[in-house]
Structure formats: C-alpha cells, structure tokens
Amino acid sequence: MLFAQQLCGFALTALAHRASSHSWVACTDYRGDVNYFEQDMCLAWPRQWSNRGEHAEPQANGYHIAEEPPSRAWSGLTELFPFAVYEPGRVYCLAWPMKNHGIMPAGCTNPHSKSDEGLDESLTLRVSGVNPTRDPSQAEFNLRNINELAGLASNCSHTWSELGQNSNGELRDECQLGLEKHRTGHPDCKGFTRAPKFCESSGAAMGTGCFKVPLDMSPGHYVAQWYWDASFSRSSGLQNFAYTSCFDFEVVPLGSSAARLGDTGTVGTPDSTLPCQNNALKVSGAASATAPTTTAPSSVTPALGTSAPTPDSIPVEDGTGDAPAPTTPPGDGGDEICADPSWDSPPICCEDGYLCEFANEHWASCRPLRASLAMVARHHSSPGFDDEAQRGRRPHKFLSAGTALVQVGSDLRTAAA
C-alpha cells in the first residue's frame, strides 16, 4: 500500500498559525475504556508514532500518549504501530492527549492541573478520495467531512470567515467529530474537551471522539485529517491556531477477513463530575437512525440536520405520564446540557416540547415536557422533600431539584408542581 506524505507529514506552513505539533491524535482505532487510555486496545496509529522511541512505552493511566516525540520527521508505519482498517457502516473512535486544553470541573483541587481552553473551537475529521497518489491539499480536505459523507450531516464544507464569525456550516453539532460541539466556557465535556479524567492530569488525560464510516465508501486506501481549530487568549491578544494529525486507513468490505476482529468503539462509562458520555453510543445511535431498514421505524427517531438533534435514547413513557429519574449524566441530542452551577449566563434554551430540568448537583439537561413535569411532581410528593432546603444547597442560582424551566416558544418559565 502506498502512503502519501506530501501535506500531512509536516507542519502546514502555507496558512498562518497552522501546526502539526503540540496537539495530536494518538490512536486511530481505539476500543478501550473511555476514562484512561489502554495501549493494548489501540488497534491503529497515526503517522509518526513509530518515531517516538521510548516515548511510546506505556505508562500508568495511558499518560504516555502526551509525551513529546523526539522528532517529527515522517517515518511511516510499522508492524507494531499499523494503519487503521475500517469496515463500511461501522463506528470507530479516535483518542488524543488533552495537553491542558480542557475545562476544569467544579471541585477539582489538583494543583498540578490547569485549564487552557480553546475558544470557539471546531473539531472535524476530513478524508481524501479513494487511493490518492498524494496527500490532498487543504482545500480538498475541506470539502470531504466524514459526517457528511456518512449521511449524518449536510453542508459541512469548511469556508473561511473573519475571526469570531460562526458562519461556517461545519460549526454545527452534526458536522463535528462525535456529532457534538463544545461550547466555549461550558463544562459540557464535548468536542476536544471530551475527557472524563481531565482533573487528574490536565496535560496527559485522554480525549476521545467517534465517527461512522460511510456505508458506500469504496474499498481502498484513504488519508484522513483530524483538524482542531481554536483561539487562545495570549498576552499579545487573541490568537487562532489549527492543529492537524493525518493518518492512513484502508477500507475493506464488511465482513472481510482483512478487517480487525471484535467490536469497535470505546467502552465503559465515564467516571467524572463532568457530564461526559461514551461518544461511541451517540454516533452509533445516529448511524442506526439513518441506516436503511425494512423493519418498522422506532417510536423515537433522532432528528438529524439540526444544531440540537433529538436523542435516540429519550425514555419512552409507559402511558402513566411517568418516566425514570435520570441517574446518569444527560445523554444525546435533546438531552443537551442547558444549565450548570458555574454558569453566570442564563440557561440555554431547549427545543420546543422540552424542559431544562435539574438532574443532579452538577448539571441540568433538556428533557421531554411530559416526563419532566411528571418528575417535578414526583419530587414534590416524595416523603421528606424540602424544596427550601434543596434551594439552599444550589449556589449560583442553579435549578433546585423541584424546579424545571419550561420553554414556551422562545421564553423560559419556571414550573413547579
């Protein structure tokens, strides 16, 4: 297999503030735990990884993925660090070190961790056409967003805009790697900041994001570009940077003997005070919703092509007007985080028919109207429930356990049973 090396193997100097260093993809087919990087569960690697020498040796909690390599010269792939092999229609996940670019969760007291959040960030995955004879130009990469090719989004092509203008179609959730975008200043654990263990080691903690390989992707060799664009506040002012990692992958027919065996995607449940989710479940749900089928459609189908997709995991009511109380962080789409104790701004508006509802002491999420109002009633009718006591434990004007914000049109109103 021919591996091109023209554009991706080096820093892209044609455009200002573009770099192939400091932030990078560490694994291109990660099937391990979402909390800590597991070396033996990484089945494929990006270019340059074989050039890391002792820096590639596993460390506790997988922190070696953040080690700076001794050289960034392109050196191909080896048997120990192979390229990725993907099957059409399946979901795969990437892993990267955080390098301090996340948001510190409330209550984190680790003096060795810090937050250098990227502002107005965009994290996308772009791919070449089949069997390229060279690395694509940046303009060619910009036209081939993996989510759009997979039928999960539309109009994702990157177009340049003035700094601070969010006019690009790629800035919508469905165009981002993992189908959700991080919102500046919000500890939402999305986009580049999807790192449950950020507090424990802000520099070396692992972030992950997943994608679906298009069902109609032709077998052959491809080049992919992981592209993270963000602005940073520096002493000289606001500066914009784009960090890239390129990797090679081969697409083989579904069920091919050349495919890597086993289930794909990240596993486990995030263990964090941040509202992190296993992103493989979100992408798998969206992929299932768009896959052709001969069976009757599910009673709840994710709505794609909007900035806040409806979740495929909304609890279905049993006719009693009740739904189970949330015991885990908010899920996909309609379960968008809408409030947080650390926010100084008002809650984010939910879609029509949803409530911004308290889930626990860390966040509130958008939930279906009937289920949310039923939950409010259940809270108030619970033995020993003391609304005033609950309110007293919620600093920063956060929602009490007996309160939900009802959205009617564009207005937010307080609802309490």
Side-chain angles (χ1 to χ4, degrees), residues 256-272:
S256 169
S257 60
R260 307 270 164 77
L261 298 177
D263 295 332
T264 63
T266 46
V267 298
T269 301
D271 178 18
S272 178

Side-chain angles (χ1 to χ4, degrees), residues 397-411:
K397 300 180 181 179
F398 196 49
L399 302 177
S400 76
T403 300
L405 296 182
V406 181
Q407 181 173 333
V408 181
S410 60
D411 298 327

Side-chain angles (χ1 to χ4, degrees), residues 85-158:
V85 179
Y86 299 148
E87 296 175 85
R90 303 194 75 179
V91 172
Y92 296 87
C93 298
L94 309 179
W96 55 84
M98 290 304 298
K99 306 296 289 184
N100 300 316
H101 297 313
I103 294 185
M104 206 66 68
C108 179
T109 58
N110 184 355
H112 303 293
S113 286
K114 63 180 181 178
S115 175
D116 183 20
E117 178 194 6
L119 311 178
D120 300 318
E121 73 159 42
S122 174
L123 180 64
T124 55
L125 183 65
R126 310 159 188 199
V127 298
S128 72
V130 65
N131 296 325
T133 58
R134 59 171 177 80
D135 282 338
S137 67
Q138 192 59 57
E140 291 170 327
F141 267 134
N142 291 345
L143 297 175
R144 292 181 57 83
N145 181 292
I146 191 69
N147 294 353
E148 187 167 3
L149 296 175
L152 302 179
S154 60
N155 301 318
C156 294
S157 298
H158 179 95

Side-chain angles (χ1 to χ4, degrees), residues 253-308:
L254 188 63
S256 169
S257 60
R260 307 270 164 77
L261 298 177
D263 295 332
T264 63
T266 46
V267 298
T269 301
D271 178 18
S272 178
T273 57
L274 292 167
C276 302
Q277 293 288 290
N278 184 337
N279 190 235
L281 301 180
K282 178 179 181 68
V283 178
S284 296
S288 298
T290 59
T293 178
T294 57
T295 60
S298 170
S299 59
V300 179
T301 303
L304 298 174
T306 63
S307 60

